[in-house]
Amino acid sequence: MKKISTAMLAMVLAAPMSSVHAEETVKKPMVEVTEQQGLEEAKEVVEENLEVDNSEEWLDDIIEEKPVEEVIEEGYENLGPMIFKASAVSSKIAANNEGDYFIYYIMHGSPAALVVVDYSSKEILHTFTLEDSKSAWGLDVDENGKLWIGGSVSSVLYSYDPNEEVFEKHGAIFSNKSDTSIQDLIVSGNKVYAGSAYGGSLVAFDTETKEIEEFGQIRKRKEFVKAIVADEEKDEIYVSIGSPMDLLVKKPNTKNFTSFLPAKYMSEKYAQDLVLTDDYIIARLHPSNMAVIFDRKTLKIVDEFELSSKTVSVVSPNGEGIYYTKGQQLIKYEFETKLHTELGVYLPKGTEAINLDFIVKNPGVPKEDGVDNEVENLLPGTDTPLKVESGVKNTEVIVSKPVVPVKDPSIKEEKGSNGDQVIVPEEPVEEPKEWILSGMVDNLGQIFEYNPRTGDLQYHNFNLPEQPVELYTLASSSDGKHIYANGYMSGGLGVYNVATGNKELYRNISQVESMFEINNKLYIGAYPLARLLVYDRAIPWGTGNPAEVIRMSSHGQERSTAVAAYNGGKEIILGTLPDTSVGGGALVFYDTTNKETDIYENYIYNQSIVSLVSRGTQVFGGTSIHANQQVNPRGARLFYFDRFDPEAKKYIHLPFSSSMITSLIVDKENFVWGMADGKLFKYKDEWTDIKTAELLPLISGRFRNAQILEGVDGYIYGSVEGKLFRATKDTLQVEWLKDKGVYGLEQDLNGNLYYYDGSNLWRYTIEKNRGKQAETAGK
């Protein structure tokens, strides 16, 4: 987040050194587009802009150890990345010590990358890899122009000095293993303050001594420190925590944080940005899209207004006010008058400002005749140089030969002690600063430039380098000939052909929470807005394919966490995770013939539906205790009902308590199998005992940590917390096959298993099917 008194963010060039982890791409030209081009291209990224605001709050990453040299075991094959995308998740524009401005992009990927663009030439200068991070949202610079970056996955802190061209990785700065992602950081003086998820902790990193001061978890049961501003000179720290939101301040000579959030805003999730001025704190709330201005002395609200931009700017260089966007329009707000001035200039359709930064063209240092004061100037009206000693103000300049100068108001004429004419330049008047407002508007990295003097608005697009995208969701075609893969946050759909090894990549689709293929149609549970999409594989990917058939956001739902087929695909069943509804997730039936839907809201009170499977006329489902950013104290529920009467549901009482039932399947003998936290269970009917086996005592996540399937060799295979196992169907005896790096699990027509690790798709060839696979590949 931002503090007025600090320098603007800088992430520029980098030079190799022992502590540097970098890969470079040098001097890729920028593509400049007209306003109309920007409007047309922006239509393709509306859906992606939604992800920038919300996706980081639901990170399901766990701490990953530093990669070691890969040793591929027999039977395992790395098939490589499936999805590549240029997706900028955060950006900043700032200057180095020489006053040269750069645009800095954080590119989402596995790993993430830092891209440096020269603002003047609009050329890409460098691309640096952020090892051990998949995204980075916390960006700020210190008073020397040194950039500090807070990474995800392992809470790694990075820095980049644009003056010395040195990029460093400082390692993880949180001791609590729950703090896997730096949500925000701010630099004040020689301290870098960083806040985390999911431990909700705060630390201060001393940039000189490298020592870390830990404040610990700010409030119990609050998982996010979402935004921070600090004033080390006044010994004040302000934080936004959630969820739900609270705003806290730590005053001088105190150990504790004190809340100053008014009661009317206590239902908000968090403030996603904080901006600090000499007199005010501005909090940008989520999800209400309100900016609330507090007086720093009294901590009382002095004003509030609606906005659409992800943040507000700092105070403009001329001190007139701050800027934001609403309905794509740029608006200026003045603190003194509380007036909002619509500037009549608009961002591309469907976009809003993600960041807002100022580029000062004239920093206010006076110059004469367009050259520096240290450079020799001519006496006005003559060819005689005025020799001015560097660093001396109002220096007397003795001219031995009298001249008749052209009158200049900045020159005073006096008589010296010997009677000669003396020319004494007056103290130059500081010229007004000339500046422009700029910022990123979409995940493609498109920026705008607004000149307040002329009212001109321009757009610039860049060919930002694509990064391999971490995979998130896998599915198999019903005939086992294709494996589908979706990317975390960045979306995209990759299709792997089992027989040929060829890969297809389809863009313009967001993150997918669940998907299921039947009858050559892929049913996709898409995020955000809890949508159900249908991709017809028989016709080309393009406009209207995939088609959106359900959107549950109007019912308070956010994620489509379970998709299953009923009656041979004549109906598709959808289960959702709620975001802002009063109760729990919804159960939805979609008739694929007449396109009608049947919706049951709050189906399991205050819980989310995260797994579904059908057996004959019965439908079985599993829940998660996480819903509406809350945790239901009652354990996860396993339920079933007859399709002809969904309201008459029955609960199956498992012989243990769990927080989520994440995967359900029906085997060839009609047994229902499931994973509940770290336990595998087998269910037949209400008259038969449930068999269970504990695999792991502890698990992570909210609605997905495991996936199981029935192998062609008679075993149950599964991945849980990154570990691969198989279990016998009769005795549930478990054998571990791989102890890390296995996420998601699908099967092809040969019985081989597919999973992902980071951005790579992997295949595990079951020993029994090696010959069969070779035979298929040879066709």
Side-chain angles (χ1 to χ4, degrees), residues 45-56 286 350 443 527-529 531 551 558:
V45 296
V46 174
E47 191 170 76
E48 295 179 66
N49 287 327
L50 294 171
E51 294 179 42
V52 170
D53 286 341
N54 303 323
S55 56
E56 62 264 38
H286 175 78
N443 293 119
Y527 167 84
L529 308 178
R531 293 161 293 146
R551 178 175 290 199
E558 181 66 12

Side-chain angles (χ1 to χ4, degrees), residues 586-605:
L587 180 71
V588 186
F589 291 90
Y590 171 69
D591 191 308
T592 59
T593 302
N594 58 32
K595 316 302 181 186
E596 294 181 354
T597 58
D598 193 9
I599 300 173
Y600 297 85
E601 295 187 67
N602 193 19
Y603 190 73
I604 304 296
Y605 179 73

Side-chain angles (χ1 to χ4, degrees), residues 255-549:
K255 293 183 178 181
N256 298 321
F257 285 82
T258 305
S259 174
F260 62 95
L261 180 68
K264 70 175 182 176
Y265 287 123
M266 287 182 177
S267 61
E268 298 285 335
K269 284 187 178 180
Y270 47 73
Q272 66 183 24
D273 197 13
L274 295 174
V275 174
L276 189 65
T277 76
D278 291 337
D279 301 313
Y280 305 104
I281 311 109
I282 305 107
R284 199 293 190 198
L285 308 187
H286 175 78
S288 69
N289 294 330
M290 292 293 296
V292 183
I293 302 176
F294 297 87
D295 184 281
R296 277 187 69 171
K297 293 181 179 178
T298 65
L299 296 178
K300 302 297 183 182
I301 294 178
V302 297
D303 203 3
E304 50 194 344
F305 56 88
E306 290 187 29
L307 76 170
S308 303
S309 52
K310 191 176 180 181
T311 183
V312 300
S313 74
V314 297
V315 176
S316 60
N318 60 7
E320 288 185 353
I322 59 175
Y323 289 79
Y324 64 95
T325 66
K326 181 181 179 182
Q328 293 91 52
Q329 184 176 196
L330 277 174
I331 299 174
K332 181 175 74 173
Y333 173 83
E334 299 178 41
F335 291 107
E336 185 175 348
T337 63
K338 298 183 181 179
L339 291 178
H340 300 261
T341 303
E342 296 183 351
L343 301 176
V345 290
Y346 294 84
L347 302 184
K349 184 178 180 181
T351 71
E352 298 289 348
I354 297 172
N355 65 291
L356 293 160
D357 297 306
F358 295 103
I359 294 90
V360 181
K361 292 186 174 181
N362 175 12
V365 178
K367 297 181 179 180
E368 297 180 17
D369 294 327
V371 294
D372 294 335
N373 289 339
E374 292 81 4
V375 180
E376 193 174 82
N377 293 312
L378 299 179
L379 185 68
T382 75
D383 293 329
T384 305
L386 279 173
K387 295 187 181 296
V388 182
E389 295 182 20
S390 177
V392 181
K393 297 182 179 180
N394 296 326
T395 304
E396 290 189 346
V397 179
I398 308 299
V399 182
S400 59
K401 182 178 180 180
V403 295
V404 182
V406 177
K407 293 291 184 181
D408 188 297
S410 66
I411 302 295
K412 293 174 65 176
E413 299 181 8
E414 297 181 0
K415 294 290 184 178
S417 58
N418 59 0
D420 289 341
Q421 185 183 30
V422 178
I423 307 300
V424 183
E426 286 189 348
E427 180 78 19
V429 177
E430 184 175 294
E431 298 178 11
K433 296 177 181 178
E434 184 179 351
W435 51 272
I436 62 175
L437 177 66
S438 186
M440 184 172 74
V441 300
D442 57 37
N443 293 119
L444 297 179
Q446 182 178 195
I447 66 166
F448 73 91
E449 292 180 352
Y450 169 70
N451 188 321
R453 181 175 58 83
T454 63
D456 291 339
L457 186 69
Q458 297 181 351
Y459 305 98
H460 299 283
N461 272 358
F462 299 85
N463 293 323
L464 296 176
E466 292 187 330
Q467 306 300 314
V469 175
E470 179 189 6
L471 301 183
Y472 184 64
T473 304
L474 296 183
S476 175
S477 61
S478 53
D479 58 12
K481 294 181 179 181
H482 296 91
I483 302 297
Y484 304 103
N486 172 255
Y488 175 59
M489 283 181 57
S490 297
L493 183 69
V495 183
Y496 178 79
N497 187 305
V498 171
T500 66
N502 292 335
K503 300 174 184 176
E504 299 174 274
L505 175 57
Y506 299 104
R507 303 180 187 273
N508 302 324
I509 185 171
S510 63
Q511 181 172 299
V512 171
E513 302 297 345
S514 56
M515 50 185 169
F516 186 90
E517 202 248 47
I518 191 169
N519 302 328
N520 207 28
K521 290 186 173 72
L522 184 65
Y523 293 90
I524 300 168
Y527 167 84
L529 308 178
R531 293 161 293 146
L532 179 65
L533 311 179
V534 182
Y535 169 37
D536 189 341
R537 291 281 290 164
I539 59 178
W541 179 285
T543 304
N545 189 33
E548 180 180 310
V549 296

Side-chain angles (χ1 to χ4, degrees), residues 8-13 93-104 116-121 125 145 162-163 165 358-361 363:
M8 296 180 71
L9 179 64
M11 309 164 60
V12 199
L13 320 165
I93 303 172
N96 61 12
N97 281 349
E98 299 297 321
D100 299 320
Y101 280 85
F102 301 87
I103 311 171
Y104 309 101
V116 182
V117 178
D118 183 281
Y119 193 89
S120 177
S121 67
L125 301 177
N163 307 297
E165 301 185 12
F358 295 103
I359 294 90
V360 181
K361 292 186 174 181

Side-chain angles (χ1 to χ4, degrees), residues 200-255:
S201 302
L202 177 72
V203 300
F205 177 86
D206 193 301
T207 60
E208 296 178 355
T209 66
K210 312 301 182 185
E211 294 180 353
I212 298 175
E213 178 185 2
E214 297 194 57
F215 296 87
Q217 187 176 39
I218 301 301
R219 286 290 187 272
K220 290 183 178 180
R221 294 181 293 278
K222 298 291 186 179
E223 297 181 327
F224 301 95
V225 173
K226 192 65 177 177
I228 312 167
V229 285
D231 188 334
E232 190 180 14
E233 184 177 337
K234 295 185 178 180
D235 191 23
E236 292 181 350
I237 307 172
Y238 300 84
V239 297
S240 160
I241 64 174
S243 166
M245 179 178 74
D246 202 353
L247 292 177
L248 306 166
V249 61
K250 182 181 178 296
K251 287 292 188 177
N253 302 316
T254 62
K255 293 183 178 181

